[in-house]
Amino acid sequence: MATSSAPVGIMNAIAAKTKSKSKKKHFVQQKVKVFRASQPRLSVLMWGVNHSINELSHVPVPVMLLPDDFKANSKIKVVNHLFNRENLPSHFKFKEYCPQVFRNLRERFGIDDLDYLISLTRSPPYSESESQDGRFLFSYDKTLAIKEISSEDVADIHSILSHYHQHIVQCHGSTLLPQFLGMYRLSVDSEDHYMLIMRNMFSHRLTVHKKFDLKGSLVSREASDKEKVKDLPTLKDMDFLNTSQKVYVGEEQKKVFMDKLKRDVEFLVQLKLMDYSLLLGIHDVLRAEIGRA
């Protein structure tokens, strides 16, 4: 399992300010679903995704995306929310960025909107590590990753979104880049939280026993002692070499992998993005069999 990672924070070099088109919606009282999470912002995320996908289901899929779709957003403000008040704040706002663009990306990545909805709303997202401070979460079924980002990150993603979408169209969704599926702003208690939804690039069925972040450099590329004592540390290039780790790939798989990597790297070069790496996850079959015994 491998994917290349271009951290959201490195896109500053191409950030561009864009004017947003805002579509305001009136609140319709929720009567059935209960969105219970340990933190109000997660309850609002679950409520908002449910509302957004239900709204989109009534909107025809456009034949093609227009430039305005890459600037559009959808907002809803909830005041004096009476139903489900024990789980949801009485006042909150939910904003979805570029709804039609991310809807189109989900389709190109083979993710059905109903599956996306269920993954994010059936049970609350959770963190696999206390050190993450709730800023990197997974959906209950481990198919999606939820990352809390900054407003600057949102602007950066906006600035490359049309280029990213074009790349995904050209490669028919076959990429090692992060797969962006949705981007939201949650306003709770006068504080804004920005959430980016991505596909979990590791298998949701197979346990990852080792994880490497590889850049192809040996300069300052060894995990810290603090990192190494974690249950699943993110190891680096020197750790990979020091453990004499090898990954065997067949010729056909190698060609497919290298073709993807070449296309993705060329795309990142065009955008003048440099700080990217390859995230490698290893499932140990023997270790898994021992664990099941």
Side-chain angles (χ1 to χ4, degrees):
M1 292 174 283
T3 176
S4 61
S5 163
V8 175
I10 66 170
M11 299 174 180
N12 293 334
I14 53 171
K17 293 184 178 179
T18 57
K19 294 183 179 178
S20 298
K21 297 186 81 177
S22 175
K23 180 183 177 184
K24 292 188 176 180
K25 295 176 182 175
H26 295 288
F27 171 67
V28 178
Q29 191 176 35
Q30 186 81 30
K31 293 184 178 179
V32 180
K33 273 188 169 286
V34 175
F35 303 99
R36 183 179 290 109
S38 59
Q39 300 177 39
R41 65 190 173 95
L42 297 183
S43 294
V44 171
L45 174 65
M46 295 163 71
W47 184 95
V49 169
N50 179 73
H51 173 81
S52 168
I53 296 298
N54 283 332
E55 288 287 302
L56 274 176
S57 68
H58 300 294
V59 178
V61 177
V63 176
M64 62 181 294
L65 294 175
L66 301 174
D68 282 351
D69 290 319
F70 291 87
K71 303 173 186 176
N73 62 66
S74 173
K75 295 180 182 178
I76 182 168
K77 180 179 181 180
V78 176
V79 181
N80 293 325
H81 187 46
L82 299 178
F83 172 77
N84 199 19
R85 195 166 182 171
E86 68 275 17
N87 298 310
L88 283 166
S90 58
H91 300 71
F92 62 86
K93 299 176 186 177
F94 181 84
K95 177 178 181 179
E96 179 178 18
Y97 296 95
C98 309
Q100 292 289 8
V101 176
F102 285 107
R103 178 196 211 179
N104 187 271
L105 286 170
R106 290 193 295 270
E107 181 182 356
R108 293 183 183 279
F109 289 133
I111 295 178
D112 182 79
D113 271 3
L114 180 58
D115 293 333
Y116 179 79
L117 169 66
I118 291 172
S119 292
L120 290 173
T121 64
R122 177 166 287 177
S123 290
Y126 72 97
S127 174
E128 288 192 333
S129 170
E130 293 182 4
S131 62
Q132 295 284 357
D133 195 28
R135 296 190 178 275
F136 197 90
L137 306 167
F138 292 96
S139 60
Y140 84 96
D141 58 3
K142 297 186 178 182
T143 61
L144 304 177
I146 303 103
K147 183 175 183 180
E148 185 164 353
I149 59 177
S150 68
S151 57
E152 290 79 11
D153 294 330
V154 172
D156 291 340
I157 291 173
H158 256 132
S159 70
I160 68 159
L161 191 56
S162 61
H163 303 286
Y164 174 83
H165 179 268
Q166 184 179 14
H167 177 69
I168 299 307
V169 171
Q170 291 173 345
C171 71
H172 306 288
S174 180
T175 179
L176 298 172
L177 293 174
Q179 297 185 13
F180 297 149
L181 307 175
M183 189 163 66
Y184 309 101
R185 186 190 72 192
L186 324 172
S187 301
V188 182
D189 296 329
S190 301
E191 186 175 353
D192 292 336
H193 303 271
Y194 302 90
M195 300 291 192
L196 178 65
I197 314 297
M198 300 172 284
R199 173 177 250 150
N200 180 9
M201 301 308 289
F202 290 151
S203 171
H204 62 282
R205 298 186 184 92
L206 301 176
T207 301
V208 174
H209 296 107
K210 276 190 179 180
K211 183 172 60 173
F212 294 92
D213 181 272
L214 304 174
K215 286 183 179 290
S217 169
L218 302 181
V219 180
S220 300
R221 294 298 298 164
E222 183 174 1
S224 66
D225 292 337
K226 183 179 177 181
E227 179 69 26
K228 289 179 180 178
V229 298
K230 293 181 180 179
D231 292 338
L232 182 62
T234 301
L235 304 174
K236 298 182 179 180
D237 302 67
M238 283 297 295
D239 305 302
F240 189 85
L241 292 177
N242 290 338
T243 57
S244 300
Q245 190 78 57
K246 290 184 173 61
V247 178
Y248 295 94
V249 181
E251 283 300 317
E252 185 176 345
Q253 289 178 310
K254 175 184 173 182
K255 184 180 184 307
V256 171
F257 176 79
M258 293 305 296
D259 286 346
K260 283 185 186 181
L261 193 61
K262 184 173 183 291
R263 281 197 308 266
D264 290 341
V265 169
E266 287 174 351
F267 167 72
L268 295 171
V269 169
Q270 288 172 7
L271 296 182
K272 296 182 172 60
L273 295 177
M274 294 178 61
D275 188 14
Y276 51 86
S277 57
L278 186 75
L279 186 62
L280 173 67
I282 297 176
H283 171 74
D284 189 325
V285 177
L286 293 177
R287 185 174 164 184
E289 288 178 351
I290 293 172
R292 286 195 296 267

